[in-house]
Amino acid sequence: MRILVVGAGATGGYFGALPAEAGLDVTFLVRPRRAAALRERGLRITGLGTDITIAPKLVTADELSGPYDLVLFSVKSTALRQAIDDVAPAIGPETAIVPFLNGMAHIDALNARFGPRPVLGGVAMIVTTLNDEGDIVRLAAMANLTLGEQDGGPSARVDAIHALLDGAGVEVHTSKDIVAEMWHKWVFITTVGALTCLMRGTVGDVTAVPGGAALGPAILAEAAAVSAAAGYPVPAEKIAFTEELVTRTGSPFASSMYRDVLDGRPTEVEHLFGDLLDRARALTVETPLLDLATLHLRVHQHRTRTAK
């Protein structure tokens, strides 16, 4: 099976490196600058006792030809439109596309371009970042994928992808309701993103001050209300997990979006927050805290653009 990984960042690089190291036919579609860095240093993963270095097979958009059997789609939402154009030559009649972006707007975009049949739903649970050298650094032990058909039906191709990646050392699960899984992660991501970005601190920083411990659950209630109104109520155990996470005393946890804000980088505010608020308005769900967090992030986004 020919596998194309679109993007070799903190998520795509990690989940593409494992099957490549296991000997599968994996190619990374990257920008010329990233290709040059990877050819010089290799694709490296470090942290938590992990030490992997591979010489990845690379291709840039002008070199891409297809079709590929499996496309793992992992780019920032800000690069989504261009990445869809770039990957088009790799998509054939039997190609399976598994995206691992957060939110739901990318599913709409992929469906619109390629039709819903090749597009699976996917969720990546991983905490990684790129260091100054472009290496992937693991920050937590959790690293797994979940995939499934958008309509939830049984799927021989999902079973085949599961078996392939599992055999290559990737922790992978399948779901009969992957759209719900995507919504539930969206709730989690926007909750921790809004909390840490709005307060400009870690969970421990927020809970250390009077009233701080109440903010995370209040944001979570808004995000979960949108998901429920859309037809995907968040299970009680997931609500409890997130509530515990955002109220944990002394916790150093912070969202990747918060790290982007601290570093003065653009964020995925429109893909994650703007789209959620649009759906909330359509569903007549009030979200005052998420509205405020979105405004805060939009101001940050404006400042990063005008600073160039």
Side-chain angles (χ1 to χ4, degrees):
M1 180 178 287
R2 297 181 73 210
I3 302 172
L4 181 70
V5 182
V6 184
T11 298
Y14 178 86
F15 287 115
L18 295 185
E21 188 185 39
L24 300 187
D25 184 0
V26 179
T27 301
F28 293 87
L29 173 60
V30 292
R31 299 286 185 216
R33 183 176 177 182
R34 181 65 168 154
L38 291 171
R39 289 188 177 107
E40 179 180 348
R41 288 183 56 81
L43 178 56
R44 302 184 181 203
I45 302 173
T46 65
L48 304 181
T50 304
D51 188 9
I52 296 172
T53 301
I54 66 168
K57 185 189 299 185
L58 305 173
V59 65
T60 55
D62 60 319
E63 301 166 333
L64 183 63
S65 62
Y68 284 77
D69 302 297
L70 173 62
V71 174
L72 302 181
F73 205 92
S74 180
V75 297
K76 287 282 191 180
S77 64
T78 49
L80 176 63
R81 183 177 300 178
Q82 185 62 55
I84 288 175
D85 289 340
D86 290 346
V87 81
I91 309 303
E94 302 302 320
T95 301
I97 305 171
V98 184
F100 294 119
L101 288 78
N102 295 314
M104 294 297 297
H106 62 284
I107 292 290
D108 296 338
L110 288 165
N111 286 347
R113 179 62 179 271
F114 303 114
R117 184 187 177 280
V119 183
L120 302 177
V123 172
M125 299 296 287
I126 187 169
V127 186
T128 51
T129 189
L130 293 181
N131 63 18
D132 291 341
E133 289 74 37
D135 300 337
I136 299 165
V137 181
R138 296 186 69 190
L139 303 176
M142 176 178 59
N144 63 77
L145 303 176
T146 303
L147 60 138
E149 296 285 354
Q150 291 187 59
D151 64 6
S155 172
R157 65 176 177 168
V158 167
D159 293 340
I161 295 168
H162 175 275
L164 182 76
L165 296 179
D166 180 71
V170 178
E171 182 183 345
V172 59
H173 311 280
T174 62
S175 173
K176 294 181 180 178
D177 197 353
I178 192 63
V179 174
E181 298 279 355
M182 294 171 68
W183 266 96
H184 299 162
K185 188 185 178 188
W186 197 7
V187 168
F188 174 81
I189 289 291
T190 50
T191 297
V192 299
L195 176 67
T196 57
C197 291
L198 190 57
M199 293 295 100
R200 289 296 185 102
T202 65
V203 168
D205 292 331
V206 178
T207 59
V209 301
L215 181 59
I219 296 171
L220 171 61
E222 291 185 3
V226 181
S227 187
Y232 305 101
V234 183
E237 63 272 17
K238 291 188 177 182
I239 292 289
F241 171 83
T242 306
E243 282 188 342
E244 193 279 327
L245 179 70
V246 298
T247 57
R248 193 178 298 164
T249 303
S251 171
F253 182 83
S255 66
S256 60
M257 185 174 282
Y258 173 60
R259 293 194 293 271
D260 288 338
V261 169
L262 282 185
D263 292 339
R265 294 193 297 261
T267 70
E268 297 181 289
V269 56
E270 297 305 333
H271 184 84
L272 293 177
F273 284 83
D275 186 42
L276 186 68
L277 294 191
D278 287 344
R279 295 173 195 248
R281 298 294 86 82
L283 295 164
T284 66
V285 177
E286 295 297 320
T287 54
L289 292 171
L290 287 169
D291 291 352
L292 183 60
T294 303
L295 179 60
H296 173 84
L297 287 164
R298 282 172 170 163
V299 171
H300 167 78
Q301 198 85 341
H302 170 75
R303 291 174 63 186
T304 62
R305 288 171 179 164
T306 56
K308 291 181 180 179

Coordinates of all heavy atoms in Angstrom, one line a residue, residues 249-295:
T249 N -5.3 21.6 40.2 CA -4.4 22.6 40.9 C -2.9 22.3 40.5 O -2.5 21.2 40.6 CB -4.6 22.4 42.4 OG1 -6.0 22.7 42.7 CG2 -3.7 23.5 43.1
G250 N -2.2 23.4 40.2 CA -0.8 23.2 39.9 C -0.5 22.6 38.6 O 0.7 22.4 38.3
S251 N -1.5 22.4 37.7 CA -1.2 21.7 36.4 C -0.4 22.6 35.5 O -0.8 23.8 35.3 CB -2.5 21.3 35.8 OG -2.3 20.9 34.5
P252 N 0.6 22.0 34.8 CA 1.4 22.8 33.8 C 0.7 22.8 32.5 O 1.3 23.3 31.5 CB 2.7 22.1 33.8 CG 2.4 20.7 34.1 CD 1.2 20.7 35.1
F253 N -0.4 22.1 32.3 CA -1.0 21.9 31.0 C -1.5 23.2 30.4 O -2.0 24.1 31.0 CB -2.3 21.0 31.2 CG -2.9 20.7 29.8 CD1 -2.4 19.7 29.0 CD2 -4.0 21.4 29.4 CE1 -3.0 19.4 27.8 CE2 -4.6 21.1 28.2 CZ -4.1 20.1 27.4
A254 N -1.2 23.3 29.1 CA -1.6 24.4 28.3 C -1.9 23.9 26.9 O -1.3 22.9 26.4 CB -0.6 25.6 28.3
S255 N -2.7 24.6 26.1 CA -3.1 24.2 24.8 C -1.9 24.5 23.8 O -1.2 25.5 24.1 CB -4.4 24.8 24.3 OG -4.2 26.2 24.2
S256 N -1.9 23.8 22.7 CA -0.9 24.2 21.7 C -1.2 25.6 21.1 O -0.3 26.3 20.7 CB -0.9 23.1 20.6 OG -2.2 23.0 19.9
M257 N -2.5 26.0 21.1 CA -2.8 27.3 20.6 C -2.2 28.4 21.5 O -1.8 29.4 21.1 CB -4.3 27.4 20.5 CG -4.8 28.8 19.9 SD -6.6 28.8 19.6 CE -6.7 27.9 18.1
Y258 N -2.2 28.1 22.8 CA -1.6 29.0 23.8 C -0.1 29.2 23.5 O 0.4 30.3 23.6 CB -1.8 28.5 25.2 CG -1.1 29.3 26.3 CD1 -1.3 30.7 26.4 CD2 -0.2 28.7 27.1 CE1 -0.7 31.4 27.4 CE2 0.5 29.4 28.1 CZ 0.2 30.8 28.3 OH 0.9 31.5 29.2
R259 N 0.6 28.1 23.2 CA 2.0 28.1 22.8 C 2.2 29.0 21.6 O 3.1 29.8 21.5 CB 2.6 26.7 22.6 CG 2.6 25.9 23.9 CD 3.5 24.7 23.8 NE 3.0 23.7 22.8 CZ 2.2 22.7 23.2 NH1 1.7 22.6 24.4 NH2 1.8 21.9 22.3
D260 N 1.3 28.9 20.6 CA 1.3 29.7 19.4 C 1.2 31.2 19.8 O 1.9 32.1 19.2 CB 0.3 29.3 18.4 CG 0.6 28.0 17.7 OD1 1.7 27.6 17.7 OD2 -0.4 27.4 17.2
V261 N 0.2 31.5 20.7 CA 0.0 32.9 21.1 C 1.3 33.4 21.8 O 1.7 34.5 21.5 CB -1.2 33.0 22.0 CG1 -1.3 34.3 22.7 CG2 -2.5 32.7 21.2
L262 N 1.8 32.7 22.7 CA 3.0 33.1 23.4 C 4.2 33.4 22.5 O 5.0 34.3 22.7 CB 3.5 32.0 24.4 CG 2.7 32.0 25.7 CD1 3.4 30.9 26.7 CD2 2.6 33.3 26.4
D263 N 4.3 32.6 21.4 CA 5.4 32.7 20.5 C 5.1 33.7 19.4 O 5.9 33.9 18.5 CB 5.7 31.3 19.8 CG 6.3 30.4 20.8 OD1 6.8 30.8 21.9 OD2 6.3 29.1 20.6
G264 N 3.9 34.3 19.4 CA 3.6 35.3 18.4 C 3.2 34.8 17.1 O 3.3 35.5 16.0
R265 N 2.9 33.5 17.0 CA 2.5 32.9 15.7 C 1.0 32.9 15.5 O 0.2 33.1 16.4 CB 3.0 31.4 15.8 CG 4.4 31.2 15.8 CD 4.8 29.7 15.5 NE 4.2 28.8 16.5 CZ 4.9 28.3 17.6 NH1 6.2 28.7 17.7 NH2 4.3 27.5 18.4
P266 N 0.6 32.9 14.2 CA -0.8 32.8 13.9 C -1.4 31.5 14.5 O -0.8 30.6 14.8 CB -0.8 32.7 12.4 CG 0.5 33.2 11.9 CD 1.5 32.8 13.0
T267 N -2.7 31.6 14.7 CA -3.5 30.5 15.3 C -4.6 30.0 14.3 O -4.8 30.6 13.3 CB -4.1 30.9 16.6 OG1 -5.2 31.8 16.3 CG2 -3.2 31.5 17.6
E268 N -5.2 28.9 14.7 CA -6.3 28.4 13.9 C -7.6 28.9 14.4 O -8.6 28.2 14.4 CB -6.3 26.8 13.9 CG -5.0 26.2 13.3 CD -5.0 24.7 13.3 OE1 -4.9 24.2 14.4 OE2 -5.2 24.1 12.3
V269 N -7.7 30.2 14.7 CA -8.9 30.7 15.4 C -10.1 30.6 14.5 O -11.2 30.2 15.1 CB -8.6 32.2 15.8 CG1 -8.2 33.1 14.6 CG2 -9.9 32.8 16.4
E270 N -10.1 30.8 13.2 CA -11.3 30.8 12.4 C -11.7 29.3 12.2 O -12.9 29.0 12.3 CB -11.1 31.5 11.1 CG -10.8 33.0 11.2 CD -11.9 33.7 12.0 OE1 -13.0 33.3 12.0 OE2 -11.5 34.7 12.6
H271 N -10.8 28.4 12.0 CA -11.1 27.0 11.8 C -11.7 26.4 13.0 O -12.7 25.6 12.9 CB -9.9 26.2 11.4 CG -10.1 24.8 11.0 ND1 -10.5 24.4 9.8 CD2 -10.0 23.7 11.7 CE1 -10.6 23.1 9.7 NE2 -10.3 22.6 10.9
L272 N -11.2 26.7 14.2 CA -11.6 26.1 15.4 C -12.7 26.9 16.2 O -13.7 26.3 16.7 CB -10.4 25.9 16.4 CG -9.4 24.9 15.9 CD1 -8.2 24.8 16.9 CD2 -10.0 23.5 15.7
F273 N -12.5 28.2 16.3 CA -13.5 29.0 17.0 C -14.5 29.7 16.2 O -15.7 29.6 16.5 CB -12.7 30.0 17.9 CG -12.0 29.4 19.1 CD1 -10.8 28.8 19.0 CD2 -12.6 29.5 20.3 CE1 -10.1 28.3 20.1 CE2 -12.0 28.9 21.4 CZ -10.8 28.3 21.3
G274 N -14.1 30.3 15.1 CA -15.0 31.0 14.2 C -16.1 30.1 13.7 O -17.3 30.4 13.7
D275 N -15.7 28.9 13.2 CA -16.6 27.9 12.7 C -17.6 27.4 13.7 O -18.8 27.2 13.5 CB -15.8 26.8 12.0 CG -16.8 25.8 11.3 OD1 -17.7 26.2 10.6 OD2 -16.6 24.6 11.4
L276 N -17.0 27.2 15.0 CA -17.9 26.7 16.0 C -18.9 27.7 16.4 O -20.1 27.4 16.6 CB -17.0 26.4 17.3 CG -17.8 25.7 18.4 CD1 -18.3 24.3 18.1 CD2 -17.0 25.7 19.7
L277 N -18.5 29.0 16.4 CA -19.5 30.1 16.7 C -20.5 30.2 15.6 O -21.7 30.5 15.9 CB -18.7 31.4 17.0 CG -17.8 31.5 18.2 CD1 -17.4 32.9 18.4 CD2 -18.5 30.9 19.4
D278 N -20.1 30.1 14.4 CA -21.1 30.1 13.3 C -22.2 29.0 13.5 O -23.4 29.3 13.3 CB -20.4 29.9 11.9 CG -19.6 31.2 11.5 OD1 -19.8 32.3 12.1 OD2 -18.8 31.0 10.6
R279 N -21.7 27.9 13.8 CA -22.7 26.8 14.1 C -23.5 27.0 15.3 O -24.7 26.7 15.3 CB -21.9 25.4 14.2 CG -21.2 25.1 12.8 CD -20.3 23.8 13.0 NE -19.4 23.7 11.9 CZ -19.4 22.7 11.0 NH1 -20.4 21.8 11.0 NH2 -18.6 22.6 10.0
A280 N -22.9 27.6 16.3 CA -23.7 27.9 17.5 C -24.8 28.9 17.2 O -25.9 28.8 17.7 CB -22.8 28.5 18.6
R281 N -24.5 29.9 16.4 CA -25.5 30.9 16.0 C -26.6 30.2 15.2 O -27.8 30.5 15.5 CB -24.9 32.0 15.2 CG -23.8 32.9 15.9 CD -24.3 33.7 17.0 NE -24.3 32.9 18.3 CZ -23.2 32.7 19.0 NH1 -22.1 33.3 18.7 NH2 -23.3 32.0 20.1
A282 N -26.2 29.4 14.3 CA -27.3 28.7 13.5 C -28.1 27.8 14.4 O -29.3 27.6 14.0 CB -26.6 27.8 12.4
L283 N -27.6 27.3 15.5 CA -28.3 26.4 16.4 C -28.9 27.1 17.5 O -29.5 26.5 18.4 CB -27.4 25.3 16.9 CG -26.8 24.3 15.8 CD1 -25.6 23.5 16.4 CD2 -27.9 23.4 15.3
T284 N -28.8 28.5 17.5 CA -29.3 29.3 18.6 C -28.8 29.0 20.0 O -29.5 28.9 21.0 CB -30.9 29.4 18.6 OG1 -31.4 28.1 19.0 CG2 -31.4 29.8 17.2
V285 N -27.5 28.7 20.1 CA -26.9 28.4 21.3 C -26.0 29.6 21.7 O -25.2 30.1 20.9 CB -26.0 27.1 21.2 CG1 -25.2 26.9 22.5 CG2 -26.8 25.9 20.8
E286 N -26.2 30.1 22.9 CA -25.5 31.2 23.4 C -24.1 30.8 23.9 O -24.0 29.8 24.7 CB -26.2 31.9 24.5 CG -27.6 32.6 24.1 CD -27.3 33.7 23.0 OE1 -26.4 34.4 23.2 OE2 -28.1 33.7 22.1
T287 N -23.1 31.6 23.5 CA -21.7 31.2 23.9 C -20.9 32.4 24.3 O -19.9 32.7 23.6 CB -21.0 30.4 22.8 OG1 -21.1 31.3 21.6 CG2 -21.6 29.1 22.5
P288 N -21.2 33.1 25.3 CA -20.5 34.4 25.6 C -19.1 34.2 26.0 O -18.2 35.1 25.6 CB -21.3 34.9 26.8 CG -22.0 33.8 27.4 CD -22.4 32.9 26.3
L289 N -18.7 33.2 26.7 CA -17.3 33.0 27.0 C -16.5 32.6 25.7 O -15.3 33.1 25.5 CB -17.1 32.0 28.1 CG -17.6 32.3 29.4 CD1 -17.6 31.1 30.4 CD2 -16.8 33.5 30.0
L290 N -17.0 31.8 24.9 CA -16.3 31.4 23.7 C -16.3 32.6 22.7 O -15.3 32.8 22.0 CB -17.0 30.2 23.0 CG -16.8 28.9 23.7 CD1 -17.8 27.8 23.1 CD2 -15.4 28.4 23.6
D291 N -17.3 33.4 22.7 CA -17.3 34.7 21.9 C -16.1 35.6 22.4 O -15.4 36.1 21.5 CB -18.6 35.5 22.1 CG -19.8 34.8 21.5 OD1 -19.6 33.8 20.8 OD2 -20.9 35.2 21.7
L292 N -15.9 35.7 23.7 CA -14.8 36.5 24.2 C -13.5 36.0 23.8 O -12.6 36.7 23.4 CB -15.0 36.7 25.7 CG -14.0 37.6 26.4 CD1 -14.0 39.0 25.8 CD2 -14.2 37.6 27.9
A293 N -13.3 34.7 24.0 CA -12.0 34.0 23.6 C -11.8 34.2 22.2 O -10.6 34.4 21.8 CB -12.1 32.5 24.0
T294 N -12.8 34.1 21.3 CA -12.6 34.2 19.9 C -12.2 35.6 19.5 O -11.3 35.9 18.7 CB -13.9 33.9 19.1 OG1 -14.3 32.5 19.5 CG2 -13.7 33.9 17.6
L295 N -12.8 36.6 20.2 CA -12.4 38.0 19.9 C -10.9 38.2 20.4 O -10.2 38.9 19.6 CB -13.3 38.9 20.7 CG -13.0 40.4 20.6 CD1 -13.1 40.9 19.2 CD2 -14.0 41.2 21.6

